[in-house]
Structures are given as C-alpha cells and as structure tokens.
C-alpha cells in the first residue's frame, strides 16, 4: 500500500515527489512510462526557467531533477498506468501487464501529447517525413527543405531550431499573425532561410513510397493552392491532455473534467475526489509552462501530506 502514487514523471510529478517525500511521506512511487523529465525533454531551447540564465536544451534542464528527488526517497517505477479506480478510501492502479497496486492517495500528472492537425496525409506519412519533434528528427533533414505547420510558441521555437540545420523552413499558419509571444516572433527576423506562409491553410501532405515530397497549402485571401516542395512536415498545432487513466469501466471519468478533458482542480490541486490530486498541463487553466507545472507539483505534494495526516 503506497502513501502516494504519482502518475507521470514530468516537472509536475517530479516536484510533487520531492515535496511529498521531503515532507515525510514514506511510500511514494512515481510511475513513469518512459524516462523521467516529461515533454520538455523534446525542446531544443529553454530560456524562461527562473534562475536558469544560460539557454539550455530541455534534456539539460531536467537532467538533475530525478536524482534530487531520489535523495529524499522517491521511488521510480518505469510502468504505464492504465487505469485508476477508487473503492472506499483506497485507490487501485492497474499497470501495463495488468498488475495492480493500491495507494492511499494519487496524483495524476500525465501532461499532454501533440495534437494531430487532421490534415490529409498526416497519418499516412507519420514517421516517414511527418514529425512532431524537431530535436528528435530535424537532423534527418540536414540541408533539405521542410515545412512547419502551426503558429504558437512551439512552432516558432522549433522552426528556429530547424533553420540551423535545414536549407529552407516554411512556417505555414492559418491566420495573418502568429499566436506565439512577440519575443519569439521577433527572433524569426534573424533567419533569412525561414519563410512565413501566413493566412494559408494546409490542404494535404503529399509524398511517394520514400516519404513526404511536399505540402499543399491554400491562400485564405485568393483561394489559390500551391505545393511547397519539402521532404519533412513538422506539425505543432497544440497538445491534448492525457487523461485516459481516469476513464472508468462505464466510460465516465473518475473525477470532474471540463469539455476538453482537463481535470478540474482547486488552488491546492485537489480534484472532485478526496485523495486524488492533479498537477501540471493536465489541469484546467494550465499555463503550460515548466515553472507552473513544478509549482503545481509542489502544491499537490503538500496537499497529499495534509490529506494523509
Ligand atoms: P509532461 O511534461 O507532459 O510530463 C508528463 C509525463 O507523464 C510524461 O513523461 C509521460 O511519459 C508520463 N505519462 C503520461 N501518461 C502516463 C501513464 N499513463 N503512465 C505513466 N506515465 C505517463 N515550457 C516552458 O516553460 N518553457 C519552454 O520553453 C517550453 N518549451 C516547450 C517546447 C516544446 C517542444 C514542448 C512540447 C513544450 C514546451 N514547454 C515549455 C511546455 C512544458 O514542457 C510543459 O508545460 C511541461 O512539461 C508540463 O509538465 P507536466 O509534468 O505537467 O507534463
Ligand atoms: P498553441 O499555443 O495552442 O498554438 C497552436 C497553434 O496551432 C495555433 O497557432 C493554432 O492556430 C494552430 N492550429 C491549431 N490547430 C490547427 C490545425 N488543425 N491546423 C493548423 N493549425 C492549427 O500550442 P503550442 O505552440 O504547442 O503551445 C502550447 C503551450 O505551451 C502554450 O501555452 C505555449 O505558450 C507553451 N509553450 C511555451 C513556450 C515558451 O514559453 N517559450 C514554448 C513552447 C510552448 P490559431 O492561432 O489560429 O489558433
């Protein structure tokens, strides 16, 4: 029987684990299906984590977090949690392989995954030219032309990362201005190999047996279509929360969620179910920043201690 089961080993889960164990909880296990660190490990450049003056990659930022947590007794189990249910006061987690473990309290910090754009050819060419991770796949397009789809901070940051490797980087965005913060957008001016294609929708990703060969875009102003010749299509159109573990056998959610599936919490990261907490990108109104996820994790860890006391 665990005191606290933490599901997800990103900034939220890791920080919660540190606060819970350092605050005196004895049996705290963090279930992380991959390596701890979370989605930020895919980022090529972090410059807004407080106190971190040098620009670092996401991998570098998260490198020491697991060791700091282990020092206070946090255990890490590399397993995927399939489902969480509550019977009476006790939570039961079903893990991959169908083994089960009980816990007195649970924190869900499973974050989010890239949202598909719903473009024709996106699924067909996924892994064969279509990617959602520039740091993972950018190198395959050294000195080649690529297309980035999206207009938020991620699209701009990743386009800049690709511009240092690729010949031409088109950024196709459906509106006439980017959603990304002005600070990010200003950086684009330094790269003469980044070509913004604004007010264009993406109609189709085309290719052949070898993979992607181009992206068909349509002007919202003239209705004209053209094909941007490119071997890679990087899609950054937002993210969907990972809440599947909360789905019960009857299809309902274990706790209250909003229309986007984000978990409803109060300022102490308590959900509508006693003893169940949520933190980071998965919660309602998340600013989707590392520092905020870590702050949520701290609040959730402290709340779990109070609950168990
Ligand atoms: P995540 O980091 O998503 O971690 C969740 C973890 O849970 C993952 O490791 C996942 O493997 C695990 N998991 C999921 N489901 C299960 C399951 N069922 N069982 C076990 N484990 C599971 N933020 C900034 O502040 N500055 C930036 O510059 C910045 N740049 C970014 C660039 C990119 C490319 C991306 C994708 C994000 C960026 N962000 C940035 C946002 C930031 O990464 C997130 O806000 C933050 O990582 C959220 O932390 P989290 O702990 O809530 O979730
Ligand atoms: P986002 O901010 O939600 O932006 C998604 C972009 O994709 C928007 O421009 C949107 O267009 C476009 N889009 C959505 N669906 C589309 C579709 N089907 N086809 C084409 N375009 C589509 O997502 P994000 O950039 O991944 O950022 C997520 C969060 O992480 C944000 O809060 C962001 O601030 C944060 N983040 C921060 C940093 C940083 O601080 N440096 C870096 C990365 C991410 P519209 O604009 O028209 O809606």
């Amino acid at each position: 029987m665990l005191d606290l089961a933490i599901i997800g080993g990103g900034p939220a889960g890791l920080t919660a684990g540190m606060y819970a164990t350092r605050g005196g909880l004895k049996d705290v296990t963090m279930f992380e299906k991959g390596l701890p660190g979370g989605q930020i490990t895919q980022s090529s450049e972090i410059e807004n984590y407080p106190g971190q003056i040098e620009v670092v990659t996401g991998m570098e930022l998260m490198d020491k977090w697991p060791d700091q947590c282990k020092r206070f007794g946090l255990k890490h189990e590399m397993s995927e949690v399939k489902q969480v249910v509550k019977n009476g006061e006790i939570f039961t987690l079903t893990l991959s392989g169908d083994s089960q473990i009980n816990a007195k309290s649970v924190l869900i910090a499973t974050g989010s995954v890239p949202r598909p754009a719903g473009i024709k050819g996106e699924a067909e060419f996924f892994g064969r030219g279509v990617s959602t991770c520039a740091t993972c796949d950018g190198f395959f397009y050294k000195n080649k032309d690529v297309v980035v789809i999206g207009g938020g901070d991620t699209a701009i940051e990743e386009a800049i990362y690709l511009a240092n490797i690729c010949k031409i980087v088109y950024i196709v965005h459906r509106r006439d201005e980017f959603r990304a913060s002005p600070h990010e957008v200003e950086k684009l001016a330094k790269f003469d190999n980044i070509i913004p294609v604004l007010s264009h929708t993406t109609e189709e990703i085309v290719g052949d047996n070898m993979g992607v060969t181009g992206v068909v875009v349509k002007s919202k102003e003239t209705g004209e279509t053209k094909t941007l010749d490119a071997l890679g299509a990087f899609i950054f159109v937002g993210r969907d929360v990972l809440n599947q573990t909360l789905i019960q056998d009857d299809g309902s959610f274990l706790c209250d969620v909003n229309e986007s599936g984000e978990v409803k919490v109060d300022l102490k990261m308590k959900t509508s179910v006693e003893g169940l907490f949520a933190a980071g990108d998965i919660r309602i109104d998340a600013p989707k920043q590392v520092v905020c996820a870590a702050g949520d994790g701290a609040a959730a860890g402290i709340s779990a201690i109070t609950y168990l006391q």
Side-chain angles (χ1 to χ4, degrees), residues 9 52 58 77 79 91 101 116 134 154 177 184 188 212 228 237 243 302:
Q52 176 62 55
E77 185 169 331
S79 293
F91 293 91
I101 189 153
T154 305
E177 60 174 7
E184 290 298 332
L188 291 180
V212 169
L228 303 172
V237 295
N243 59 18
I302 293 167

Side-chain angles (χ1 to χ4, degrees), residues 48 117 151-154 157 173-175 179 237-238 287-289:
N48 59 3
D153 284 313
T154 305
E157 275 190 8
H173 180 40
R174 61 189 180 183
R175 286 190 298 124
R179 175 180 292 275
V237 295
K288 300 200 166 78
Q289 296 290 295

Side-chain angles (χ1 to χ4, degrees), residues 114-279:
R115 179 180 302 152
I119 302 164
K120 194 170 172 210
E122 179 182 15
E124 182 187 347
F125 290 107
F126 197 86
R128 297 196 299 129
V130 173
S131 169
T132 54
C133 179
T135 38
C136 317
D137 299 328
F139 186 73
F140 299 124
Y141 305 95
K142 198 168 166 57
N143 299 325
K144 309 264 187 333
D145 298 348
V146 296
V147 174
V148 165
I149 298 157
D153 284 313
T154 305
I156 302 294
E157 275 190 8
E158 301 310 292
I160 289 171
Y161 177 83
L162 290 166
N164 288 311
I165 303 170
C166 306
K167 197 158 113 200
I168 291 178
V169 179
Y170 299 99
I171 310 183
V172 181
H173 180 40
R174 61 189 180 183
R175 286 190 298 124
D176 61 354
E177 60 174 7
F178 288 112
R179 175 180 292 275
S181 63
H183 175 71
E184 290 298 332
V185 178
E186 277 164 25
K187 291 183 191 168
L188 291 180
K190 292 189 199 137
F191 295 85
D192 53 15
N193 62 337
I194 297 182
I195 302 177
V197 183
L198 295 176
S199 299
H200 277 73
T201 53
T202 309
E203 299 295 298
E204 186 176 356
I205 297 168
V206 290
D208 56 24
N209 292 345
M210 302 295 287
V212 169
T213 55
V215 174
V216 182
V217 295
K218 183 176 180 183
S219 165
K220 287 176 85 174
E221 280 149 19
T222 64
E224 205 179 306
T225 58
K226 62 181 174 189
T227 301
L228 303 172
D229 293 330
L231 297 182
F234 288 81
I235 301 176
F236 304 111
V237 295
R239 302 184 64 90
D240 290 325
V241 294
L242 274 175
N243 59 18
Q244 289 82 347
T245 50
L246 297 172
I247 298 174
Q248 307 297 284
D249 290 342
D250 65 3
S252 66
F253 283 94
L254 175 59
C255 61
D256 291 347
V257 299
N258 69 10
E259 62 288 348
S260 306
E262 296 159 345
V263 179
K264 292 186 180 179
V265 289
D266 66 11
L267 291 175
K268 294 185 171 177
M269 303 304 137
K270 290 183 190 174
T271 69
S272 58
V273 171
E274 285 273 294
L276 177 68
F277 306 89

Side-chain angles (χ1 to χ4, degrees), residues 12-35:
L14 283 162
T15 311
M18 180 171 72
Y19 272 74
T21 48
R22 193 168 176 274
L25 296 191
K26 293 279 174 266
D27 292 310
V28 184
T29 296
M30 181 182 77
F31 297 90
E32 165 56 60
K33 61 184 175 184
L35 288 174

Side-chain angles (χ1 to χ4, degrees), residues 7-13 31-40 42-48 79-82 109-112 154 157-158 236 239 242 245 279-282 287-291 293:
I7 312 173
F31 297 90
E32 165 56 60
K33 61 184 175 184
L35 288 174
Q39 59 180 275
I40 195 65
Q42 295 190 358
S43 175
S44 48
E45 183 186 283
I46 316 295
E47 58 178 11
N48 59 3
S79 293
E80 180 173 6
V81 177
K82 297 276 192 202
T110 43
S112 54
T154 305
E157 275 190 8
E158 301 310 292
F236 304 111
R239 302 184 64 90
L242 274 175
T245 50
D281 277 15
I282 194 168
K288 300 200 166 78
Q289 296 290 295
V290 175
V291 66

